[in-house]
Amino acid sequence: MKKDIFSLQGKVCVITGGYQGIGEIVTGFIADAGADVAIFDLNDATHVAEKVSKEYGVKAKAYICDVTDPQAVQAAIDAAAQDFGTLDLLFDNAGICLHKAALDCTPDDWRKVIDVNLNGIYYVAQIFGKYLADHGKGGSIVMTASMSATIVNIPQKQASYNASKAAVKHLAKSLAVEWVDKGIRVNSISPGYIRTAITELSDPEYQKLWIASIPYGRMGTPEELAGAVIYLLSDASTYTSGADLIIDGCFTVV
Ligand code: NDP
């Protein structure tokens, strides 16, 4: 048995949505596992890059990138590949949420959620996958779906979000099969309610109701997702592709 099967030493990992929340915290754990990190976000995540570089002695750099713009994604992947010399791993995580009843959703509301949560996840995975294939390299991709890919949350109305996340889960499975022969693994994680801006800026009454429905009696933290991401990125999961790991404090179990 290899000694440190969870090590990401010698790898370069791209993380999207790394300015804050899940992406920011998981970036620290990925760096702690030894990977150099390229952080993509709409916002300038230089503070995250500087922090993890100082704490873990890895190379880290932030790139401003709107994942809904395939040209911007291509430019950021090209720049990161140039800066780091190679790319190996992807945590494809940027996403947004909209609480709005389907009957009130405008076409623009719908398009925005699908554009970030599904199209953005796809553009980054596709362009990253093409980079790997063009360089004859295998790699591992982890997408952030949600328990909303599997269940319908209440009382908030968020059909666009739920549909986008169900699509991400199945996109991961589809690419996993399509890219088996390229040695590229693709998995997803499905977090439950996690304490970040997305949940903390939600209606406090909703938050109370959510917590009352979670068997754990609390929301999760971004730190509690890191182990799953590292497992799926690392050589600990070489026979795992197309899997979805639900991490939700038992929310979907009951
Ligand atoms: P945050 O809002 O805290 O972080 C998301 C980051 O992604 C922000 O910096 C955001 O920027 C950025 N972002 C948004 N749109 C784009 C874009 N077009 N291009 C690049 N970056 C973008 O959210 P979380 O950390 O909570 O969420 C991360 C992922 O986890 C999302 O996919 C979310 O759906 C998923 N998730 C979250 C759960 C939770 O309870 N928190 C539960 C299940 C899944 P800006 O703030 O400017 O929009």
Side-chain angles (χ1 to χ4, degrees):
M1 174 69 100
K2 250 173 95 179
K3 247 188 165 173
D4 193 359
I5 53 173
F6 295 99
S7 172
L8 302 180
Q9 200 83 43
K11 306 284 185 189
V12 180
C13 184
V14 172
I15 295 123
T16 71
Y19 172 81
Q20 64 178 29
I22 294 166
E24 177 190 0
I25 298 298
V26 173
T27 294
F29 281 84
I30 291 170
D32 189 27
D36 292 332
V37 290
I39 307 162
F40 294 7
D41 200 287
L42 271 183
N43 310 281
D44 182 2
T46 299
H47 66 291
V48 181
E50 286 176 354
K51 185 165 181 273
V52 299
S53 176
K54 200 167 154 209
E55 270 185 43
Y56 304 110
V58 299
K59 182 169 173 173
K61 191 165 174 185
Y63 302 81
I64 294 180
C65 173
D66 180 348
V67 298
T68 67
D69 176 352
Q71 284 181 339
V73 173
Q74 184 71 63
I77 291 283
D78 289 347
Q82 173 83 27
D83 292 342
F84 287 84
T86 191
L87 304 173
D88 307 280
L89 310 171
L90 169 64
F91 181 36
D92 200 358
N93 162 76
I96 57 171
C97 188
L98 175 69
H99 291 170
K100 198 165 181 182
L103 293 180
D104 299 328
C105 257
T106 64
D108 278 349
D109 289 333
W110 176 267
R111 262 194 297 267
K112 174 95 197 279
V113 174
I114 299 297
D115 213 19
V116 179
N117 290 6
L118 175 58
N119 298 343
I121 290 269
Y122 172 70
Y123 297 143
V124 178
Q126 189 213 26
I127 291 164
F128 183 84
K130 187 156 181 356
Y131 169 87
L132 292 180
D134 287 350
H135 290 78
K137 291 183 66 160
S140 177
I141 298 174
V142 178
M143 297 178 173
T144 305
S146 167
M147 68 172 175
S148 310
T150 304
I151 51 102
V152 174
N153 309 68
I154 51 170
Q156 73 275 25
K157 296 183 172 63
Q158 51 174 46
S160 56
Y161 183 82
N162 297 346
S164 72
K165 292 299 184 178
V168 168
K169 190 169 115 177
H170 209 55
L171 173 65
K173 292 181 187 298
S174 305
L175 297 182
V177 173
E178 204 168 312
W179 293 348
V180 163
D181 62 347
K182 307 205 175 322
I184 303 172
R185 296 186 297 108
V186 188
N187 293 287
S188 58
I189 58 164
S190 278
Y193 291 110
I194 305 295
R195 283 222 170 275
T196 68
I198 281 191
T199 43
E200 286 184 336
L201 298 176
S202 297
D203 185 332
E205 285 308 310
Y206 288 178
Q207 294 187 46
K208 275 191 216 150
L209 289 166
W210 298 340
I211 288 168
S213 322
I214 304 170
Y216 265 48
R218 65 170 177 86
M219 291 194 211
T221 64
E223 286 81 355
E224 291 175 299
L225 303 176
V229 177
I230 287 172
Y231 162 66
L232 293 170
L233 289 176
S234 71
D235 284 352
S237 60
T238 47
Y239 197 54
T240 305
S241 198
D244 178 63
L245 208 43
I246 300 181
I247 305 148
D248 67 351
C250 291
F251 189 96
T252 58
V253 176
V254 292

